[in-house]
Amino acid sequence: MKNKVEQLRKERGLNQDDFAKMLRVSRQTISSIETGKYNPSLELAFAISDFFGKRIEEIFIYERGAENEKK
């Protein structure tokens, strides 16, 4: 899943560490979300969307894989 977390974070002038502290997660969690190595829990995704004042769908972009397109 792709996301706009890094872009939105940088637009706010926040580094990963400060953003992580605001969300009460580790900097590594933020880094992993931004690089697409980790998909956040639904609770964390809502916290991120609330922080930026955007809908989850505006931040996290789900792209169907080839397997899902066959259905």
Side-chain angles (χ1 to χ4, degrees), residues 10 12 16 23-24 26 31 42 52 54 62-63 68:
K10 287 181 177 181
R12 292 274 179 107
Q16 287 181 341
L23 294 173
R24 297 181 178 195
S26 69
S31 176
L42 192 52
F52 292 118
K54 297 188 177 290
Y62 176 71
E63 295 179 342
N68 292 333

Side-chain angles (χ1 to χ4, degrees), residues 53-71:
K54 297 188 177 290
R55 294 187 334 245
I56 287 178
E57 297 87 1
E58 294 177 285
I59 300 173
F60 298 95
I61 300 96
Y62 176 71
E63 295 179 342
R64 293 180 185 255
E67 308 153 1
N68 292 333
E69 291 178 7
K70 294 178 185 176
K71 293 182 180 177

Side-chain angles (χ1 to χ4, degrees), residues 21-52:
K21 287 176 184 174
M22 291 176 184
L23 294 173
R24 297 181 178 195
V25 296
S26 69
R27 185 205 55 79
Q28 290 84 352
T29 296
I30 298 301
S31 176
S32 294
I33 291 170
E34 290 181 353
T35 59
K37 294 179 182 175
Y38 172 73
N39 291 327
S41 67
L42 192 52
E43 184 177 354
L44 181 53
F46 272 111
I48 291 169
S49 68
D50 287 346
F51 180 86
F52 292 118

